[in-house]
Amino acid sequence: MGKQAVLDAYQGKYTPVVPWVPYVGVHGAYLIGETATKVLQDPNLLAKAVVNAAERYKADGIPLVFDLAIEAMSMGIEAKWFDDNPPTVIAHPLADKPLTEAGLKIPGPNDGRWPVIIEAGKKAKAELGDVALIGLACGPLTLASHLRGAKIFTDMVKKPELAQEILAFAAKASAEAARIYAEEIGCDIVALVEPVGSQVRPETYDKFVIPACQPGLDAIHKAGKVSALYICGDATKIVENMMYTGASCVCVDEQLNMNYVRDGALKYGRGFGGNLKLTLALSLGIVDPREDAIVSLAAGGKIGYTFSPG
Amino acid sequence: MVDVLNSLPDDVKDFIEYKEWSIKNPEGIQMFMARKGRVLPTLCINEACLYESIIPTLDELYDSLIAAARTSNQKDILSHALKKAMEEYE
Protein backbone atom coordinates (compact mmCIF):
# COMPACT_ATOMS: atom_id res chain seq x y z
CA MET A 1 0.00 0.00 0.00
CA GLY A 2 1.30 3.45 -0.77
CA LYS A 3 0.56 6.56 1.23
CA GLN A 4 3.26 8.49 -0.62
CA ALA A 5 1.71 7.63 -3.97
CA VAL A 6 -1.59 9.14 -2.85
CA LEU A 7 0.16 12.26 -1.55
CA ASP A 8 2.06 12.62 -4.81
CA ALA A 9 -0.96 12.04 -7.03
CA TYR A 10 -3.10 14.45 -5.00
CA GLN A 11 -0.41 17.07 -5.67
CA GLY A 12 -0.48 16.49 -9.41
CA LYS A 13 2.75 14.50 -9.55
CA TYR A 14 3.70 11.40 -11.52
CA THR A 15 3.25 8.07 -9.77
CA PRO A 16 4.70 4.80 -11.12
CA VAL A 17 1.54 3.00 -10.00
CA VAL A 18 -1.84 4.72 -9.83
CA PRO A 19 -2.95 4.85 -6.18
CA TRP A 20 -6.33 3.56 -5.12
CA VAL A 21 -8.61 5.37 -2.65
CA PRO A 22 -11.98 3.70 -1.98
CA TYR A 23 -14.53 6.04 -0.39
CA VAL A 24 -15.84 3.41 1.93
CA GLY A 25 -18.15 5.55 4.07
CA VAL A 26 -20.77 3.68 6.07
CA HIS A 27 -20.17 0.59 3.93
CA GLY A 28 -17.28 0.14 6.37
CA ALA A 29 -19.85 -0.39 9.12
CA TYR A 30 -21.58 -3.07 7.06
CA LEU A 31 -18.25 -4.84 6.51
CA ILE A 32 -17.81 -5.33 10.27
CA GLY A 33 -21.45 -6.33 10.79
CA GLU A 34 -22.54 -3.13 12.47
CA THR A 35 -24.99 -0.35 11.66
CA ALA A 36 -23.97 3.12 10.54
CA THR A 37 -25.84 4.57 13.54
CA LYS A 38 -23.69 2.55 15.94
CA VAL A 39 -20.34 2.91 14.18
CA LEU A 40 -20.59 6.67 13.70
CA GLN A 41 -21.10 7.13 17.45
CA ASP A 42 -18.46 4.72 18.72
CA PRO A 43 -14.78 5.66 18.24
CA ASN A 44 -13.54 2.09 18.61
CA LEU A 45 -15.98 0.73 16.05
CA LEU A 46 -15.35 3.60 13.64
CA ALA A 47 -11.58 3.05 13.80
CA LYS A 48 -12.13 -0.70 13.37
CA ALA A 49 -14.38 -0.12 10.34
CA VAL A 50 -11.84 2.14 8.64
CA VAL A 51 -8.83 -0.12 9.26
CA ASN A 52 -10.78 -3.23 8.23
CA ALA A 53 -11.95 -1.60 4.99
CA ALA A 54 -8.45 -0.35 4.14
CA GLU A 55 -7.07 -3.86 4.56
CA ARG A 56 -9.92 -5.58 2.75
CA TYR A 57 -9.76 -3.27 -0.27
CA LYS A 58 -5.94 -2.96 -0.25
CA ALA A 59 -6.32 0.81 -0.12
CA ASP A 60 -3.52 3.32 -0.56
CA GLY A 61 -5.65 5.95 1.10
CA ILE A 62 -8.99 5.98 2.86
CA PRO A 63 -11.34 8.59 4.30
CA LEU A 64 -11.88 8.48 8.04
CA VAL A 65 -15.57 9.20 7.75
CA PHE A 66 -17.88 10.34 4.96
CA ASP A 67 -20.54 12.16 6.92
CA LEU A 68 -21.39 15.76 6.05
CA ALA A 69 -23.72 16.23 8.99
CA ILE A 70 -20.94 16.26 11.61
CA GLU A 71 -20.43 20.03 11.53
CA ALA A 72 -24.13 20.93 11.62
CA MET A 73 -24.95 18.35 14.28
CA SER A 74 -22.06 19.64 16.36
CA MET A 75 -23.76 23.05 16.29
CA GLY A 76 -26.81 21.35 17.81
CA ILE A 77 -28.82 21.16 14.58
CA GLU A 78 -31.31 18.31 14.38
CA ALA A 79 -30.55 15.37 12.12
CA LYS A 80 -32.02 11.95 11.45
CA TRP A 81 -29.92 8.83 11.86
CA PHE A 82 -30.05 5.87 9.48
CA ASP A 83 -28.64 2.38 9.93
CA ASP A 84 -27.48 2.16 6.32
CA ASN A 85 -26.59 5.78 5.53
CA PRO A 86 -24.96 8.75 7.21
CA PRO A 87 -27.29 11.06 9.13
CA THR A 88 -29.30 13.71 7.31
CA VAL A 89 -29.77 17.25 8.58
CA ILE A 90 -33.51 17.89 8.90
CA ALA A 91 -33.68 21.36 10.47
CA HIS A 92 -32.50 24.65 9.00
CA PRO A 93 -32.07 27.18 11.82
CA LEU A 94 -31.42 30.11 9.48
CA ALA A 95 -34.45 29.47 7.27
CA ASP A 96 -36.55 31.94 9.24
CA LYS A 97 -34.07 33.53 11.61
CA PRO A 98 -31.04 35.76 11.04
CA LEU A 99 -27.60 34.55 12.02
CA THR A 100 -27.44 37.08 14.85
CA GLU A 101 -30.52 35.54 16.51
CA ALA A 102 -29.90 31.86 15.83
CA GLY A 103 -27.33 31.39 18.61
CA LEU A 104 -25.07 29.27 16.45
CA LYS A 105 -21.38 28.94 17.21
CA ILE A 106 -18.48 27.39 15.37
CA PRO A 107 -18.07 23.91 16.85
CA GLY A 108 -14.59 23.14 18.13
CA PRO A 109 -12.90 19.82 18.95
CA ASN A 110 -14.79 19.40 22.23
CA ASP A 111 -18.22 20.07 20.78
CA GLY A 112 -20.95 17.77 19.53
CA ARG A 113 -19.74 14.75 17.60
CA TRP A 114 -16.14 15.88 17.29
CA PRO A 115 -14.69 14.05 20.34
CA VAL A 116 -15.85 10.70 18.88
CA ILE A 117 -14.48 11.52 15.43
CA ILE A 118 -11.15 12.73 16.83
CA GLU A 119 -10.68 9.67 19.02
CA ALA A 120 -11.55 7.36 16.13
CA GLY A 121 -9.22 9.23 13.80
CA LYS A 122 -6.27 8.96 16.15
CA LYS A 123 -6.87 5.23 16.66
CA ALA A 124 -7.27 4.58 12.94
CA LYS A 125 -4.18 6.59 12.04
CA ALA A 126 -2.09 4.63 14.53
CA GLU A 127 -3.22 1.33 13.02
CA LEU A 128 -3.34 2.10 9.30
CA GLY A 129 0.35 1.85 8.48
CA ASP A 130 1.26 2.91 4.95
CA VAL A 131 -2.21 4.20 4.09
CA ALA A 132 -3.07 7.88 3.71
CA LEU A 133 -5.82 8.94 6.10
CA ILE A 134 -8.18 11.45 4.51
CA GLY A 135 -10.37 13.85 6.45
CA LEU A 136 -13.55 15.04 4.76
CA ALA A 137 -14.90 18.38 5.93
CA CYS A 138 -18.34 19.60 4.94
CA GLY A 139 -17.82 22.26 2.28
CA PRO A 140 -19.07 25.79 2.97
CA LEU A 141 -21.91 25.81 0.43
CA THR A 142 -23.23 22.46 1.62
CA LEU A 143 -23.02 23.62 5.23
CA ALA A 144 -24.76 26.88 4.31
CA SER A 145 -27.55 24.82 2.74
CA HIS A 146 -27.83 22.85 5.99
CA LEU A 147 -28.14 26.12 7.91
CA ARG A 148 -30.44 28.08 5.59
CA GLY A 149 -32.12 25.29 3.62
CA ALA A 150 -32.99 25.65 -0.06
CA LYS A 151 -33.35 29.41 0.34
CA ILE A 152 -29.56 29.81 0.14
CA PHE A 153 -29.78 29.17 -3.62
CA THR A 154 -32.25 32.02 -4.04
CA ASP A 155 -30.25 34.21 -1.66
CA MET A 156 -27.17 33.99 -3.86
CA VAL A 157 -29.15 35.57 -6.69
CA LYS A 158 -31.69 37.79 -4.93
CA LYS A 159 -29.98 38.72 -1.68
CA PRO A 160 -26.25 38.24 -2.18
CA GLU A 161 -25.25 40.12 0.98
CA LEU A 162 -27.27 37.65 3.10
CA ALA A 163 -25.78 34.71 1.19
CA GLN A 164 -22.30 36.11 1.81
CA GLU A 165 -22.99 36.47 5.53
CA ILE A 166 -24.22 32.88 5.87
CA LEU A 167 -21.44 31.52 3.67
CA ALA A 168 -18.82 33.41 5.68
CA PHE A 169 -20.08 31.74 8.84
CA ALA A 170 -20.24 28.34 7.13
CA ALA A 171 -16.73 28.90 5.79
CA LYS A 172 -15.40 29.41 9.31
CA ALA A 173 -17.10 26.23 10.54
CA SER A 174 -15.83 24.30 7.52
CA ALA A 175 -12.32 25.65 8.13
CA GLU A 176 -12.41 24.60 11.78
CA ALA A 177 -13.49 21.12 10.68
CA ALA A 178 -10.60 21.04 8.20
CA ARG A 179 -8.21 22.19 10.94
CA ILE A 180 -9.46 19.45 13.28
CA TYR A 181 -8.87 16.78 10.63
CA ALA A 182 -5.43 18.20 9.76
CA GLU A 183 -4.08 19.22 13.15
CA GLU A 184 -5.96 17.38 15.89
CA ILE A 185 -6.28 14.04 14.10
CA GLY A 186 -3.28 14.36 11.80
CA CYS A 187 -4.95 13.33 8.57
CA ASP A 188 -2.52 13.28 5.65
CA ILE A 189 -5.03 14.84 3.27
CA VAL A 190 -8.11 16.93 3.97
CA ALA A 191 -10.84 17.52 1.42
CA LEU A 192 -13.70 19.99 1.40
CA VAL A 193 -16.75 18.07 0.18
CA GLU A 194 -19.46 19.93 -1.73
CA PRO A 195 -22.26 17.64 -2.93
CA VAL A 196 -24.40 20.63 -3.90
CA GLY A 197 -21.52 22.53 -5.50
CA SER A 198 -22.34 21.02 -8.88
CA GLN A 199 -25.88 22.36 -8.72
CA VAL A 200 -24.99 26.04 -9.03
CA ARG A 201 -23.97 28.01 -12.09
CA PRO A 202 -20.27 28.65 -12.78
CA GLU A 203 -20.57 32.40 -12.06
CA THR A 204 -22.25 31.60 -8.73
CA TYR A 205 -19.49 29.12 -7.93
CA ASP A 206 -16.83 31.76 -8.65
CA LYS A 207 -18.55 34.52 -6.72
CA PHE A 208 -19.63 32.59 -3.62
CA VAL A 209 -18.06 29.16 -3.33
CA ILE A 210 -14.44 29.86 -4.25
CA PRO A 211 -14.04 32.65 -1.66
CA ALA A 212 -15.82 30.53 0.95
CA CYS A 213 -13.41 27.64 0.37
CA GLN A 214 -10.33 29.77 1.13
CA PRO A 215 -10.44 29.62 4.96
CA GLY A 216 -10.68 25.82 4.83
CA LEU A 217 -7.89 25.48 2.28
CA ASP A 218 -5.74 27.89 4.30
CA ALA A 219 -6.27 25.79 7.44
CA ILE A 220 -5.21 22.63 5.59
CA HIS A 221 -2.13 24.23 4.03
CA LYS A 222 -1.15 25.94 7.30
CA ALA A 223 -1.07 22.49 8.91
CA GLY A 224 1.26 21.33 6.14
CA LYS A 225 -1.29 18.90 4.72
CA VAL A 226 -2.51 18.24 1.19
CA SER A 227 -5.87 19.73 0.21
CA ALA A 228 -8.61 18.51 -2.10
CA LEU A 229 -12.12 19.30 -3.26
CA TYR A 230 -14.63 16.48 -3.59
CA ILE A 231 -17.79 17.08 -5.56
CA CYS A 232 -20.88 15.02 -6.35
CA GLY A 233 -23.22 15.19 -9.31
CA ASP A 234 -22.59 16.40 -12.83
CA ALA A 235 -19.98 19.08 -12.16
CA THR A 236 -18.96 19.39 -15.81
CA LYS A 237 -19.90 23.07 -15.92
CA ILE A 238 -17.72 24.00 -12.93
CA VAL A 239 -14.91 21.48 -13.03
CA GLU A 240 -12.47 23.99 -14.52
CA ASN A 241 -13.48 26.54 -11.86
CA MET A 242 -12.67 23.93 -9.22
CA MET A 243 -9.18 23.63 -10.66
CA TYR A 244 -8.40 27.26 -9.79
CA THR A 245 -10.03 27.25 -6.36
CA GLY A 246 -6.64 26.67 -4.75
CA ALA A 247 -6.97 23.01 -3.75
CA SER A 248 -4.27 20.57 -4.80
CA CYS A 249 -6.67 17.95 -6.06
CA VAL A 250 -10.19 17.68 -7.47
CA CYS A 251 -12.17 14.45 -7.15
CA VAL A 252 -15.32 13.92 -9.17
CA ASP A 253 -18.49 11.92 -9.58
CA GLU A 254 -19.17 9.06 -11.99
CA GLN A 255 -21.11 11.36 -14.33
CA LEU A 256 -18.05 13.30 -15.45
CA ASN A 257 -15.94 12.48 -18.46
CA MET A 258 -12.57 11.56 -17.01
CA ASN A 259 -10.71 12.72 -20.13
CA TYR A 260 -12.16 16.21 -19.63
CA VAL A 261 -11.26 16.22 -15.93
CA ARG A 262 -7.75 14.96 -16.68
CA ASP A 263 -7.12 17.67 -19.27
CA GLY A 264 -8.26 20.35 -16.83
CA ALA A 265 -6.09 18.96 -14.05
CA LEU A 266 -3.03 18.78 -16.29
CA LYS A 267 -3.65 22.34 -17.47
CA TYR A 268 -3.69 23.66 -13.90
CA GLY A 269 -1.16 21.20 -12.42
CA ARG A 270 -3.71 19.64 -10.09
CA GLY A 271 -4.28 16.12 -8.92
CA PHE A 272 -7.58 14.51 -9.83
CA GLY A 273 -9.54 11.48 -8.76
CA GLY A 274 -12.44 9.33 -9.85
CA ASN A 275 -14.52 7.91 -11.23
CA LEU A 276 -15.38 4.24 -11.03
CA LYS A 277 -19.13 4.12 -11.57
CA LEU A 278 -20.51 3.72 -8.09
CA THR A 279 -24.10 3.27 -9.19
CA LEU A 280 -23.95 1.73 -12.65
CA ALA A 281 -20.99 -0.61 -12.00
CA LEU A 282 -20.48 -1.18 -8.29
CA SER A 283 -24.06 -0.97 -7.08
CA LEU A 284 -26.18 -2.21 -9.97
CA GLY A 285 -23.71 -4.13 -12.13
CA ILE A 286 -25.18 -2.65 -15.33
CA VAL A 287 -21.64 -1.77 -16.40
CA ASP A 288 -18.93 -4.36 -15.79
CA PRO A 289 -16.83 -2.99 -12.89
CA ARG A 290 -13.62 -4.45 -14.32
CA GLU A 291 -14.13 -2.84 -17.71
CA ASP A 292 -15.18 0.40 -16.06
CA ALA A 293 -12.01 0.39 -13.96
CA ILE A 294 -9.89 -0.11 -17.07
CA VAL A 295 -11.61 2.82 -18.79
CA SER A 296 -10.96 5.08 -15.80
CA LEU A 297 -7.33 3.98 -15.45
CA ALA A 298 -6.69 4.44 -19.16
CA ALA A 299 -8.16 7.94 -19.10
CA GLY A 300 -6.51 8.94 -15.84
CA GLY A 301 -2.94 8.06 -16.73
CA LYS A 302 -0.12 8.32 -14.21
CA ILE A 303 0.26 12.06 -13.72
CA GLY A 304 -1.72 13.26 -10.75
CA TYR A 305 -4.34 10.58 -11.00
CA THR A 306 -5.92 8.64 -8.14
CA PHE A 307 -8.32 5.82 -8.90
CA SER A 308 -11.46 6.13 -6.79
CA PRO A 309 -15.17 5.55 -6.98
CA GLY A 310 -17.14 8.42 -8.44
CA MET B 1 -32.52 19.45 -4.91
CA VAL B 2 -35.66 17.90 -3.47
CA ASP B 3 -35.28 20.23 -0.49
CA VAL B 4 -36.45 23.12 -2.65
CA LEU B 5 -39.75 21.26 -3.17
CA ASN B 6 -39.97 20.36 0.50
CA SER B 7 -39.70 24.06 1.30
CA LEU B 8 -42.88 24.96 -0.66
CA PRO B 9 -45.86 26.08 1.45
CA ASP B 10 -48.55 23.57 2.36
CA ASP B 11 -51.26 25.10 0.16
CA VAL B 12 -49.00 24.54 -2.85
CA LYS B 13 -48.00 21.05 -1.76
CA ASP B 14 -51.70 20.22 -1.45
CA PHE B 15 -52.04 19.96 -5.23
CA ILE B 16 -48.48 19.09 -6.24
CA GLU B 17 -47.51 15.47 -6.17
CA TYR B 18 -43.74 15.06 -6.08
CA LYS B 19 -41.55 12.07 -5.66
CA GLU B 20 -37.81 11.52 -5.37
CA TRP B 21 -36.63 8.61 -7.50
CA SER B 22 -33.42 6.83 -6.64
CA ILE B 23 -31.11 5.73 -9.42
CA LYS B 24 -29.98 2.92 -7.15
CA ASN B 25 -32.93 0.69 -7.93
CA PRO B 26 -34.48 -0.62 -11.18
CA GLU B 27 -37.66 1.44 -10.72
CA GLY B 28 -35.65 4.66 -10.56
CA ILE B 29 -33.54 3.71 -13.58
CA GLN B 30 -36.68 2.97 -15.59
CA MET B 31 -38.11 6.36 -14.63
CA PHE B 32 -34.82 8.10 -15.52
CA MET B 33 -34.86 6.45 -18.94
CA ALA B 34 -38.56 7.11 -19.51
CA ARG B 35 -38.01 10.80 -18.82
CA LYS B 36 -34.92 10.78 -21.07
CA GLY B 37 -32.83 11.99 -18.14
CA ARG B 38 -29.27 12.98 -18.88
CA VAL B 39 -27.72 13.89 -15.53
CA LEU B 40 -28.39 13.46 -11.84
CA PRO B 41 -30.07 15.08 -10.07
CA THR B 42 -32.73 16.33 -12.46
CA LEU B 43 -36.00 18.01 -11.50
CA CYS B 44 -38.87 17.14 -13.83
CA ILE B 45 -42.23 18.89 -13.86
CA ASN B 46 -45.11 17.25 -15.71
CA GLU B 47 -42.64 14.80 -17.28
CA ALA B 48 -40.35 17.50 -18.70
CA CYS B 49 -36.76 17.58 -17.42
CA LEU B 50 -36.47 21.26 -16.50
CA TYR B 51 -33.56 21.55 -14.07
CA GLU B 52 -30.60 19.34 -14.84
CA SER B 53 -28.06 19.52 -12.03
CA ILE B 54 -29.19 23.05 -11.17
CA ILE B 55 -31.13 23.93 -8.05
CA PRO B 56 -33.66 26.55 -9.18
CA THR B 57 -34.18 29.77 -7.26
CA LEU B 58 -37.61 30.00 -5.70
CA ASP B 59 -38.89 32.42 -8.34
CA GLU B 60 -37.59 30.18 -11.16
CA LEU B 61 -39.33 27.20 -9.57
CA TYR B 62 -42.60 29.07 -9.09
CA ASP B 63 -42.51 30.36 -12.66
CA SER B 64 -42.06 26.79 -13.90
CA LEU B 65 -44.88 25.54 -11.69
CA ILE B 66 -47.20 28.34 -12.82
CA ALA B 67 -46.46 27.48 -16.43
CA ALA B 68 -47.26 23.84 -15.70
CA ALA B 69 -50.39 24.49 -13.62
CA ARG B 70 -53.53 22.79 -14.91
CA THR B 71 -56.20 25.08 -13.49
CA SER B 72 -56.56 28.79 -12.94
CA ASN B 73 -57.03 28.13 -9.22
CA GLN B 74 -53.62 26.42 -9.10
CA LYS B 75 -52.08 29.36 -10.95
CA ASP B 76 -53.63 31.76 -8.42
CA ILE B 77 -52.32 29.82 -5.44
CA LEU B 78 -48.86 29.60 -7.00
CA SER B 79 -48.82 33.29 -7.93
CA HIS B 80 -49.77 34.21 -4.38
CA ALA B 81 -47.09 31.89 -2.95
CA LEU B 82 -44.50 33.36 -5.32
CA LYS B 83 -45.40 36.89 -4.23
CA LYS B 84 -45.14 35.90 -0.58
CA ALA B 85 -41.82 34.09 -1.09
CA MET B 86 -40.36 37.12 -2.84
CA GLU B 87 -41.38 39.51 -0.05
CA GLU B 88 -38.28 38.37 1.81
CA TYR B 89 -36.17 39.56 -1.11
CA GLU B 90 -37.70 43.02 -1.58
Side-chain angles (χ1 to χ4, degrees):
Chain A
M1 291 187 268
K3 182 197 294 189
Q4 190 58 48
V6 183
L7 293 171
D8 286 345
Y10 265 59
Q11 294 177 91
K13 298 176 185 171
Y14 169 84
T15 56
V17 176
V18 172
W20 155 238
V21 175
Y23 308 144
V24 173
V26 296
H27 171 62
Y30 170 80
L31 291 177
I32 60 168
E34 299 285 357
T35 64
T37 304
K38 201 170 169 187
V39 165
L40 292 172
Q41 297 180 87
D42 183 321
N44 293 319
L45 285 178
L46 179 52
K48 181 182 173 185
V50 171
V51 173
N52 175 69
E55 288 173 355
R56 174 167 177 148
Y57 292 125
K58 299 179 172 58
D60 297 305
I62 194 160
L64 170 61
V65 60
F66 212 133
D67 176 353
L68 304 181
I70 293 170
E71 292 82 353
M73 290 173 78
S74 298
M75 293 181 195
I77 296 170
E78 190 183 358
K80 185 177 178 186
W81 288 91
F82 298 93
D83 283 344
D84 59 353
N85 264 309
T88 297
V89 173
I90 56 171
H92 308 298
L94 301 184
D96 299 304
K97 201 180 274 186
L99 191 54
T100 48
E101 292 175 17
L104 297 174
K105 75 177 191 88
I106 308 290
N110 298 316
D111 297 322
R113 295 179 57 198
W114 280 118
V116 168
I117 302 300
I118 292 169
E119 186 181 342
K122 288 178 176 174
K123 282 178 190 287
K125 183 158 177 61
E127 295 174 30
L128 274 173
D130 188 24
V131 179
L133 184 63
I134 303 174
L136 303 182
C138 183
L141 179 60
T142 301
L143 186 52
S145 74
H146 288 334
L147 300 174
R148 174 74 168 152
K151 285 181 177 176
I152 191 71
F153 300 97
T154 304
D155 297 339
M156 289 190 288
V157 177
K158 299 280 182 190
K159 217 170 188 177
E161 68 286 355
L162 176 64
Q164 297 283 17
E165 183 190 351
I166 294 170
L167 272 159
F169 178 80
K172 284 182 191 168
S174 179
E176 174 61 3
R179 188 199 67 77
I180 290 170
Y181 282 118
E183 287 185 3
E184 308 265 343
I185 298 173
C187 290
D188 304 290
I189 295 165
V190 181
L192 306 181
V193 186
E194 287 284 22
V196 297
S198 61
Q199 294 170 53
V200 299
R201 295 174 174 87
E203 57 272 24
T204 306
Y205 188 86
D206 279 353
K207 184 176 176 183
F208 293 95
V209 184
I210 290 182
C213 285
Q214 299 314 308
L217 295 174
D218 289 346
I220 300 163
H221 298 151
K222 191 178 167 193
K225 301 303 172 73
V226 175
S227 63
L229 297 176
Y230 282 17
I231 198 152
C232 304
D234 180 15
T236 305
K237 59 186 174 296
I238 60 155
V239 78
E240 181 159 358
N241 310 56
M242 292 175 73
M243 297 295 175
Y244 55 71
T245 302
S248 297
C249 182
V250 170
C251 296
V252 300
D253 181 279
E254 68 182 87
Q255 296 181 73
L256 270 76
N257 181 308
M258 189 49 80
N259 292 321
Y260 179 65
V261 178
R262 176 203 61 209
D263 290 348
L266 292 175
K267 177 181 171 186
Y268 288 91
R270 303 301 187 202
F272 62 108
N275 67 350
L276 183 57
K277 291 182 174 21
L278 197 60
T279 304
L280 294 179
L282 293 183
S283 179
L284 299 170
I286 292 171
V287 176
D288 182 280
R290 184 185 294 263
E291 289 178 13
D292 186 38
I294 291 168
V295 169
S296 279
L297 288 163
K302 290 184 177 178
I303 300 175
Y305 177 55
T306 299
F307 181 50
S308 290
Chain B
M1 183 179 275
V2 77
D3 217 29
V4 74
L5 295 170
N6 291 333
S7 73
L8 293 171
D10 288 342
D11 59 345
V12 171
K13 284 195 276 193
D14 278 348
F15 63 84
I16 290 176
E17 185 185 336
Y18 66 95
K19 181 169 181 179
E20 186 176 15
W21 299 87
S22 171
I23 197 71
K24 293 181 181 171
N25 57 55
E27 193 187 17
I29 292 170
Q30 282 171 7
M31 181 57 67
F32 188 70
M33 292 170 72
R35 295 284 178 272
K36 296 185 170 54
R38 296 187 299 181
V39 298
L40 292 171
T42 290
L43 176 59
C44 301
I45 299 176
N46 286 356
E47 304 184 7
C49 295
L50 293 186
Y51 297 100
E52 295 180 311
S53 197
I54 283 285
I55 296 174
T57 60
L58 285 170
D59 53 323
E60 288 172 334
L61 178 63
Y62 276 116
D63 286 344
S64 299
L65 290 172
I66 289 167
R70 288 176 175 149
T71 68
S72 57
N73 186 46
Q74 289 177 351
K75 281 186 198 290
D76 289 345
I77 293 170
L78 286 163
S79 299
H80 177 72
L82 167 61
K83 193 177 170 192
K84 199 170 175 191
M86 288 302 105
E87 282 174 4
E88 190 176 347
Y89 296 100
E90 287 169 357

